[in-house]
Amino acid sequence: MKVRIGIDVGGTFTDAAVIDNETYELIGSEKVPTTHSAATGVAAGIVEVLQAVMQRYNISPDDVAFIAHGTTQATNALLEGDVEKVGIITIGSGMEGIKSKADTQMGEIRLTSTKELNTCNRYIDSNSSSFHKDIARAIVELKSEGAGAIVAAEAFSVDDPENENEVIDMCRDAEIPGTATADISKLYGLRVRTRTAVVNASIMPKMLNAAYMTSDSIKKAGIKANLMVMRCDGGVMTVDEVRKRPILTILSGPAAGVAGALMHEKLTDGLFFEVGGTSTDISCVKDGKVMVRYSQIGGHKTFLTSLDVRTVGIGGGSMIQMKDGLISDTGPRSAHIAGLDYEVYADSADIVSPVLKTIAPTKTDPDYGYIECSNGKRFALTLSGAATICGYVSEGDYAFGNIEAAELAWKPLADSMGVSVKEAAMKALEYAAKKNGEVARQLMADYNMNPRTTVFIGGGGGACSVVPHLAQSMGHRYKIAKNAPVISTIGVALALVRDVVERTIANPTEQDILEVRREAEQKAIKAGAAPNSIEVNVEIDTKKNIVRAIAIGNTELRSKDLNSRKLTAEDVLEVAGENMQLPTDEMYIKADNGYMFVVMHDAVTKKMFGLQKIIKHNARLVDDEGVIRLQKENATVKKTSGIGWEIALRRIIEDCADYGDGGEQLPNTYIIFGKRLINLSGMSSVEQIISIARIELSTVRDDDQLIYICSDRMD
């Protein structure tokens, strides 16, 4: 049996999960303390947990088809200020060079309120006859000023990276890590691109050492599969890419959690809450896709695209703030910071004559409640204890503990407040829900989520301590994700899809190559790769007459279950009916291609005393796994074959366009091709839509079935 192994390096523990490569089912998991202080750093813990999980489940190195790890190392390095000083070499000439010189003066980049990243600069005239010597001198000077890494920056390097690459080559010769801004982003905007590259360069030395040690350790374990590392966008990359762009691993922990959860849950619109002991990471899923944005580091914009994750200082171990004997708030301090054990995991016999006391874990903290027993034992009052007392954590849940011990521990606080134990615990939950609720509402507002259809999904070990009460207080449906405690680790294991198609073809034509490319792409999509993430590399071996197409894509950040049956038409109508809250006999399937179904409901309203009848054609695009991929409140839907697709597309756009005082207003336009949803919305002309469609449909065949959906721009 082939397996996939995911390893998640957290601040406290390093977890490993083993997944069946065929069924994607969890075989088992292991946990060891994260080895921050070891000579080889976190790599030691990775090797330790890998050996433990392979031994426990009798896995040989040859059984491992895929191995990847997620790490908080880059994030922690920035939070803790464990970064290198960065030297910036700016390249330019004339007036453009003067502006570039100003745009690349970064000074101190603030990381936190007490930590910063320091930089130093040199400017080189690209027209200088001593250009190469100037680069070499600049590198030496920057190293002497304490720079541990170099960034090469030129205004239009995204069009021509030759000069930046020259700097990086010379950095390599000088044995100092280097980053070219064009390797970090292909976007214009030198200042933001340089800032992103500087952050990347600052963590390169630390990440390089960890990447080398971890990769070498995996090889020494006899595992032939290449080690992959989790990215902040939910995919994985090779260790070689980590060496070039370690910044992509920032916030990879939350990305792994979402990826893992949505492999098991049929989620269209929802918020995912990954709850740990100290905090909750909240992310948004809309139309079956996780929302992304450009990350900010220390309040500064970067060109780093990552999941939009909002973190709240509420977790299962959050302690209860107190003032004048009453609860005043919940969190953000957790029990382990105060050096206290959880009351809910104590033995009832240890809660002897408890006395309510307060503690300030740090000098700047408010007072938090805890109990001290006559036997000298001390326990924190936690959110997990409150949730257990109030019945939100059921027996069998990961966070479930000792209800009796929790009630005994909370009684002194309840007596101080003059209420019952359950009322006191509920007050703590209300304070926690207020904090999480504010962030959840803002996230839904930012992405125009419909509260009526937004489901809350809980993940992480503390999920039941937070999500059930929060969902109840906000009036949302909720689910606790399958295998919630190890959901991030599962996400790491399932993050990459790769497929290869080889064909023996003598003197292949362009059409032959396109067909092989298309086949590889379709295989990757069927295996779970997000269509818009797939990159296909075609190789032609002329000696062996072989055309080889290698398709690599990120695991789609939405539901995926290889064991689930494909939905029937009746099932699809039920999915859409639940979403629209309508009976199935009021809806119908307007079009389908075997993979995707467009379900319609004709909503009729009357105006002018019933004389004017208005019909809105509400549409839901449902895939064959039951995930709603698109929701439109008034849409026009057409189905056509691959032959003559362009004529049909022009016709539907023309039929749906609006003409007013502002001229022609084009509709939002979507094409469904297989399981791909091609978004052509927001274009300013029909020709723009057609030109992009030609690229996206370059492999379409005459007998392929296409579905067009058009809707108003306001929808």
Side-chain angles (χ1 to χ4, degrees):
M1 178 179 64
K2 294 293 184 181
V3 300
R4 303 169 74 90
I5 296 179
I7 300 171
D8 184 45
V9 183
T12 305
F13 291 103
T14 296
D15 298 288
V18 182
I19 307 293
D20 187 306
N21 193 48
E22 294 296 324
T23 66
Y24 285 14
E25 286 298 312
L26 177 67
I27 295 173
S29 61
E30 280 289 328
K31 179 191 299 283
V32 302
T34 298
T35 53
H36 294 293
S37 58
T40 56
V42 297
I46 292 174
V47 174
E48 184 181 347
V49 78
L50 176 63
Q51 291 174 340
V53 79
M54 291 179 69
Q55 182 176 351
R56 179 172 180 179
Y57 296 101
N58 195 28
I59 298 166
S60 76
D62 291 336
D63 294 334
V64 181
F66 175 88
I67 183 168
H69 79 81
T71 176
T72 60
Q73 190 171 19
T75 305
N76 291 343
L78 294 175
L79 290 175
E80 297 165 9
D82 188 11
V83 294
E84 293 285 344
K85 186 175 183 178
V86 177
I88 303 169
I89 296 179
T90 306
I91 305 164
S93 62
M95 294 300 295
E96 179 187 293
I98 294 173
K99 184 178 185 305
S100 296
K101 187 176 180 180
D103 286 344
T104 55
Q105 290 287 335
M106 297 288 111
E108 288 185 354
I109 297 177
R110 181 64 55 182
L111 300 175
T112 68
S113 59
T114 59
K115 305 291 184 181
E116 70 278 331
L117 193 172
N118 296 304
T119 64
C120 47
N121 291 71
R122 288 295 184 275
Y123 175 76
I124 296 176
D125 189 334
S126 57
N127 291 331
S128 170
S129 58
S130 58
F131 180 65
H132 298 297
K133 291 182 179 179
D134 293 342
I135 295 173
R137 183 170 60 253
I139 292 173
V140 171
E141 291 174 355
L142 291 170
K143 287 177 70 175
S144 69
E145 289 186 34
I150 300 288
V151 164
E154 188 175 24
F156 296 100
S157 59
V158 293
D159 298 323
D160 182 4
E162 183 179 352
N163 287 335
E164 284 191 357
N165 290 340
E166 179 68 20
V167 173
I168 302 308
D169 289 342
M170 295 181 72
C171 285
R172 193 176 297 111
D173 294 339
E175 297 183 344
I176 183 170
T179 296
T181 69
D183 285 341
I184 295 297
S185 172
K186 297 301 181 183
L187 295 176
Y188 290 118
L190 181 61
R191 186 165 189 80
V192 178
R193 196 169 74 241
T194 301
R195 183 186 299 127
T196 311
V198 166
V199 173
N200 183 77
S202 73
I203 57 177
M204 281 186 80
K206 187 179 184 70
M207 294 294 289
L208 280 170
N209 290 335
Y212 283 127
M213 287 188 291
T214 306
S215 182
D216 288 346
S217 297
I218 297 298
K219 289 178 181 177
K220 289 177 181 177
I223 295 174
K224 297 181 177 62
N226 291 325
L227 175 67
M228 309 297 287
V229 181
M230 196 77 189
R231 296 162 47 118
C232 56
D233 58 5
V236 289
M237 58 183 176
T238 64
V239 170
D240 285 340
E241 279 299 304
V242 176
R243 292 164 182 160
K244 297 176 186 176
R245 296 184 289 171
I247 193 174
L248 292 178
T249 66
I250 295 172
L251 297 177
S252 64
V258 181
L262 299 186
M263 294 296 286
H264 296 296
E265 309 301 329
K266 305 297 185 192
L267 185 59
T268 297
D269 289 344
L271 297 186
F272 176 66
F273 299 79
E274 183 160 15
V275 186
T278 302
S279 62
T280 297
D281 291 324
I282 310 175
S283 49
C284 177
V285 177
K286 185 176 182 180
D287 290 338
K289 298 185 182 300
V290 181
M291 299 295 98
V292 298
R293 66 173 178 178
Y294 289 128
S295 294
Q296 290 196 357
I297 295 175
H300 301 286
K301 180 184 175 183
T302 71
F303 281 154
L304 172 65
T305 301
S306 68
L307 302 192
D308 188 352
V309 178
R310 317 279 173 94
T311 301
V312 185
I314 292 292
S318 292
M319 295 176 65
I320 312 305
Q321 285 190 36
M322 288 187 55
K323 187 175 182 180
D324 300 328
L326 304 175
I327 296 177
S328 59
D329 205 349
T330 301
R333 283 285 176 241
S334 57
H336 79 277
I337 297 296
L340 297 169
D341 293 327
Y342 288 51
E343 82 286 42
V344 72
Y345 303 125
D347 191 317
S348 301
D350 288 334
I351 312 294
V352 182
S353 303
V355 176
L356 180 64
K357 293 193 173 184
T358 61
I359 184 174
T362 70
K363 293 180 180 179
T364 59
D365 279 341
D367 288 336
Y368 289 87
Y370 76 99
I371 59 164
E372 185 169 311
C373 302
S374 59
N375 56 12
K377 295 188 177 183
R378 305 187 309 163
F379 299 96
L381 302 180
T382 66
L383 191 63
S384 287
T388 299
I389 290 168
C390 294
Y392 291 106
V393 186
S394 304
E395 188 171 358
D397 291 332
Y398 182 82
F400 186 74
N402 187 335
I403 298 176
E404 182 184 19
E407 289 177 338
L408 289 171
W410 275 72
K411 191 172 189 310
L413 174 57
D415 291 344
S416 176
M417 296 172 64
V419 298
S420 70
V421 169
K422 189 170 183 178
E423 287 172 330
M426 187 61 74
K427 193 67 177 176
L429 289 169
E430 289 170 1
Y431 276 115
K434 181 180 178 182
K435 290 182 177 180
N436 276 324
E438 288 175 356
V439 175
R441 289 186 187 92
Q442 186 60 56
L443 195 54
M444 287 190 288
D446 289 347
Y447 292 105
N448 196 27
M449 302 284 288
N450 183 350
R452 186 170 57 86
T453 58
T454 301
V455 182
F456 289 0
I457 302 292
C464 290
S465 300
V466 169
V467 178
H469 174 264
L470 177 65
Q472 183 185 69
S473 66
M474 294 180 65
H476 287 260
R477 291 176 294 137
Y478 81 92
K479 293 176 66 177
I480 302 301
K482 185 178 179 181
N483 301 313
V486 290
I487 206 68
S488 288
T489 320
I490 291 172
V492 175
L494 299 177
L496 183 74
V497 171
R498 182 179 189 273
D499 223 313
V500 180
V501 173
E502 292 181 326
R503 292 288 179 267
T504 301
I505 306 173
N507 301 316
T509 65
E510 181 178 354
Q511 186 60 37
D512 293 330
I513 296 170
L514 282 173
E515 286 292 333
V516 175
R517 184 186 186 281
R518 179 180 184 275
E519 187 177 350
E521 183 181 46
Q522 291 300 312
K523 286 186 69 174
I525 290 171
K526 288 182 179 180
N532 59 1
S533 78
I534 295 174
E535 295 182 3
V536 182
N537 181 41
V538 178
E539 301 172 352
I540 301 175
D541 187 334
T542 55
K543 292 183 178 179
K544 297 182 179 179
N545 293 326
I546 291 177
V547 176
R548 181 182 300 109
I550 305 168
I552 300 175
N554 298 331
T555 300
E556 191 159 23
L557 292 187
R558 61 174 199 82
S559 171
K560 182 80 177 83
D561 184 352
L562 293 185
N563 286 328
S564 66
R565 64 183 179 86
K566 300 305 179 184
L567 271 63
T568 64
E570 290 75 16
D571 295 330
V572 169
L573 287 171
E574 286 184 9
V575 169
E578 182 181 357
N579 177 267
M580 289 193 273
Q581 297 186 2
L582 291 169
T584 57
D585 59 4
E586 293 185 18
M587 298 174 297
Y588 58 95
I589 295 176
K590 175 70 173 180
D592 78 89
N593 63 2
Y595 298 101
M596 306 275 248
F597 302 78
V598 182
V599 179
M600 303 286 287
H601 170 252
D602 298 333
V604 180
T605 57
K606 294 183 179 181
K607 291 185 176 182
M608 299 293 292
F609 306 102
L611 298 176
Q612 182 181 6
K613 186 167 67 172
I614 300 174
I615 301 177
K616 290 179 64 176
H617 305 287
N618 299 325
R620 298 294 186 267
L621 177 65
V622 186
D623 70 14
D624 59 1
E625 292 174 14
V627 177
I628 297 177
R629 305 289 296 279
L630 192 66
Q631 305 178 62
K632 292 298 170 184
E633 297 310 312
N634 194 18
T636 299
V637 178
K638 299 289 185 184
K639 183 177 179 181
T640 183
S641 64
I643 188 170
W645 68 263
E646 184 175 331
I647 295 173
L649 181 58
R650 287 182 184 274
R651 184 175 296 128
I652 190 173
I653 293 172
E654 182 180 340
D655 290 344
C656 295
D658 284 334
Y659 298 90
D661 295 338
E664 183 182 39
Q665 175 111 17
L666 298 177
N668 284 329
T669 304
Y670 306 86
I671 301 176
I672 294 86
F673 177 27
K675 289 195 76 169
R676 292 176 60 198
L677 173 59
I678 302 168
N679 188 346
L680 301 174
S681 301
M683 303 297 163
S684 59
S685 70
V686 175
E687 292 310 315
Q688 280 187 351
I689 295 175
I690 296 299
S691 63
I692 294 176
R694 286 194 187 110
I695 296 171
E696 295 291 347
L697 299 176
S698 61
T699 58
V700 72
R701 295 177 298 200
D702 289 352
D703 58 349
D704 282 328
Q705 298 298 304
L706 303 177
I707 301 172
Y708 300 142
I709 300 177
C710 286
S711 67
D712 296 337
R713 284 279 173 102
M714 297 300 293
D715 184 7

